[in-house]
Amino acid sequence: MEVRVMGESRKPLLFVSNPGVGVFNPLYVIAAELARRGTEDLWFATDESLRADIEKIEGGGGVRFASLGETDPTHSPADWDDEMYRLVTQRSRWKAHHAVVRRGFDPDGGEAKYLALDALAEEIDPALMVFDSVNPLGLLIALKRKIPFVLSSPFLPSNLLLAKTPRGFPMMHTGLPLNMSFRQRVANNVFKIRAGLMFLHPKMLRLALKGVARVRQLQLPREMLSPSAKIDCADAVLCYTVFGLEYPLPLPDKFHLVGAIIPPLPEAEEDGELSRWLDANPSVVYIGLGTITRLTRPEVHALVEVARRLDGRHSVLWKLPTEQQRMLPPRDELPANLRIESWVPSQLDVLAHPNVRLFFNHGGANAFHEGLYFGKPQIIRPLWVDCYDQAIRGVDSGVSLTVDDPQTIDADDVVAKMTRLLDDPSFRERAEFFAEAQREAGGTRAAADLILGNPALK
């Protein structure tokens, strides 16, 4: 593949991202890699809250930030109210799926952001766009202005290929395995049928009709009406996983599985105290349940109990937001092997430390693949929708175990699974196998090469 190098001029390259960290972080790392290579005329359009992150990117001419305005809390999972959080994390996977789809299917939302992005595209005339797979605005502008684009997806490839998966393949958000029991096959088929019929519900039908009207009003291409438009029209699709983690399925040639997107490490300036603590503890369990998880008081106390039972054998580093630390027992009642941080300078630096032996996370796509990039076995408590899919693939790949009941935290269950993961070397061996597979896939380097090799930039 021919790749242009630093110093060569080209028309602008425009990144567009939703503000959610799960989709923003990979694009941010790739944009920073392109800047380090000296790529000229790089632009990054996203919400105002991320201005500082983009403007601190160094290398070459840097990356120019374009604001799409303030974050709309209805489209930012971290800002959802308690009722919406309850709906998308409820026990019924079908109802949670329905709630997520409904929240994302809003033809009336984002009008100001659409106008801002359209004006930016008119001004800079990008040769190529790169945007996340849950970003309808990027797709709108790319199709309207006939701009070639690359799609960025932290999700499993099957998440994007619903209509093209083999017969009997598990439907996304079900958390079902590839090899299903009879009952599971029935449940999978019912889930698929309900997902197809969902848009015939009067409320969803009204939203769909509004979407059609908006496409006509804005004189957008008819391709926008196709459910597979973002895949069919993309020049390339970057998926941040590797073969063997996703179940076997035919992939279009435009799909590129490049593994986790990891920046140069260490990512942050060394935190002397935390680094010394990690160095001093030869076996550390790291608990990082993502930026969206909202633990209850019983769940917080259950995890303290988990640490207490591991005392004498393993230490525990727990990243717990400040507002949730109020639910902790008094400090003098915490076990000596437990260290709690409201924030760590870099989760990747923590996972890279050789003394971290186990990663307890929520099953988010980035967390799952990042943990494996560093060869760490995992225990997963799925938070919502796609987290169940990562969790079951982790089990089937031999790299992780899933808690018995994701709606709570049972100390007995968690300790038993942690002990098994830590004592059975096969889990680490499989995790290290996939760590090597991700390095061979190329990650950030491969993603940057594919973008720069796009014919639109030549």
Side-chain angles (χ1 to χ4, degrees):
M1 178 186 298
E2 178 186 353
V3 178
R4 291 194 174 194
V5 296
M6 60 186 304
E8 297 186 6
S9 61
R10 57 162 58 91
K11 289 172 67 177
L13 172 56
L14 174 60
F15 284 77
V16 185
S17 179
N18 281 347
V21 295
V23 293
F24 170 78
N25 283 352
L27 287 172
Y28 172 83
V29 172
I30 295 170
E33 170 68 14
L34 295 180
R36 280 191 297 273
R37 296 188 185 193
T39 307
E40 298 178 354
D41 218 353
L42 281 171
W43 290 77
F44 203 119
T46 187
D47 288 11
E48 181 65 29
S49 59
L50 295 167
R51 175 187 290 273
D53 295 273
I54 301 302
E55 291 183 342
K56 74 180 181 183
I57 293 177
E58 299 178 349
V63 181
R64 303 186 198 186
F65 174 78
S67 178
L68 297 182
E70 300 301 326
T71 298
D72 180 352
T74 64
H75 293 93
S76 172
D79 298 317
W80 283 344
D81 59 29
D82 290 340
E83 175 60 18
M84 187 61 197
Y85 180 84
R86 184 194 64 78
L87 287 173
V88 300
T89 60
Q90 63 183 296
R91 188 176 299 277
S92 168
R93 295 179 195 177
W94 160 251
K95 291 180 180 179
H97 168 85
H98 190 180
V100 167
V101 172
R102 242 190 109 180
R103 174 51 61 99
F105 194 77
D106 182 8
D108 291 333
E111 183 68 24
K113 294 182 187 298
Y114 166 79
L115 293 174
L117 185 58
D118 193 38
L120 176 66
E122 172 72 21
E123 175 188 352
I124 69 174
D125 186 24
L128 182 70
M129 293 176 65
V130 184
F131 51 85
D132 62 89
S133 59
V134 291
N135 195 315
L137 296 182
L139 183 63
L140 280 171
I141 300 304
L143 293 183
K144 174 184 177 181
R145 296 186 171 273
K146 297 181 171 58
I147 303 170
F149 67 91
V150 173
L151 205 62
S152 164
S153 176
F155 308 107
L156 296 164
S158 55
N159 191 284
L160 304 176
L161 294 168
L162 292 182
K164 301 178 182 180
T165 53
R167 183 175 181 179
F169 198 91
M171 175 71 175
M172 74 170 187
H173 300 170
T174 61
L176 290 171
L178 182 62
N179 298 316
M180 303 181 207
S181 66
F182 174 76
R183 178 174 291 184
Q184 288 173 326
R185 289 197 299 271
V186 171
N188 191 51
N189 289 333
V190 169
F191 197 106
K192 286 184 177 181
I193 292 170
R194 294 182 75 179
L197 296 176
M198 178 171 59
F199 289 92
L200 297 180
H201 187 281
K203 290 183 179 179
M204 293 299 290
L205 191 58
R206 284 196 293 271
L207 289 174
L209 291 174
K210 282 185 178 181
V212 172
R214 188 173 185 225
V215 166
R216 291 174 177 168
Q217 176 189 359
L218 298 175
Q219 298 182 328
L220 298 172
R222 293 176 61 88
E223 294 94 325
M224 277 298 304
L225 300 177
S226 169
S228 61
K230 59 188 176 185
I231 302 302
D232 296 339
C233 299
D235 277 19
V237 180
L238 303 177
C239 291
Y240 309 131
T241 187
V242 291
F243 291 103
L245 290 172
E246 173 60 291
Y247 295 138
L249 77 164
L251 293 180
D253 290 341
K254 66 177 67 177
F255 273 64
H256 302 275
L257 276 57
V258 300
I261 300 299
I262 305 293
L265 299 180
E267 186 180 30
E269 293 184 9
E270 182 176 328
D271 183 332
E273 185 182 354
L274 178 57
S275 296
R276 287 191 294 272
W277 185 86
L278 289 170
D279 291 340
N281 291 276
S283 181
V284 176
V285 172
Y286 173 54
I287 303 176
L289 296 173
T291 58
I292 302 172
T293 298
R294 304 175 190 180
L295 296 174
T296 64
R297 184 177 298 275
E299 291 166 351
V300 168
H301 282 243
L303 285 176
V304 172
E305 178 61 21
V306 167
R308 190 184 318 280
R309 296 189 194 179
L310 295 176
D311 199 4
R313 295 175 293 150
H314 310 285
S315 300
V316 177
L317 172 63
W318 183 8
K319 186 176 72 171
L320 181 66
T322 301
E323 61 272 16
Q324 296 182 44
Q325 290 187 26
R326 301 188 184 97
M327 296 181 284
L328 286 165
R331 182 173 296 273
D332 60 1
E333 296 179 14
L334 298 177
N337 67 327
L338 175 61
R339 181 186 179 103
I340 297 175
E341 298 283 351
S342 59
W343 177 80
V344 294
S346 166
Q347 177 163 282
L348 296 176
D349 290 344
V350 169
L351 290 171
H353 197 284
N355 286 352
V356 173
R357 297 184 55 208
L358 179 64
F359 183 22
F360 184 10
N361 63 73
H362 64 301
N366 287 332
F368 176 67
H369 290 96
E370 289 165 1
L372 289 181
Y373 182 89
F374 296 104
K376 312 298 181 181
Q378 302 177 38
I379 178 170
I380 296 176
R381 180 203 183 217
L383 174 63
W384 62 357
V385 291
D386 71 293
C387 300
Y388 288 94
D389 299 333
Q390 273 84 237
I392 189 60
R393 282 157 176 79
V395 170
D396 285 353
S397 299
V399 299
S400 67
L401 296 173
T402 305
V403 300
D404 287 343
D405 183 1
Q407 296 300 309
T408 185
I409 293 177
D410 183 311
D412 292 337
D413 174 48
V414 173
V415 171
K417 287 187 167 65
M418 285 185 173
T419 301
R420 183 181 167 196
L421 287 161
L422 289 162
D423 291 350
D424 185 343
S426 68
F427 290 102
R428 175 168 288 277
E429 290 167 2
R430 290 295 291 169
E432 290 174 346
F433 170 84
F434 284 108
E436 181 61 26
Q438 294 205 68
R439 284 169 170 77
E440 291 179 357
T444 305
R445 171 185 52 78
D449 286 348
L450 285 162
I451 292 170
L452 293 178
N454 188 284
L457 296 179
K458 297 182 178 180

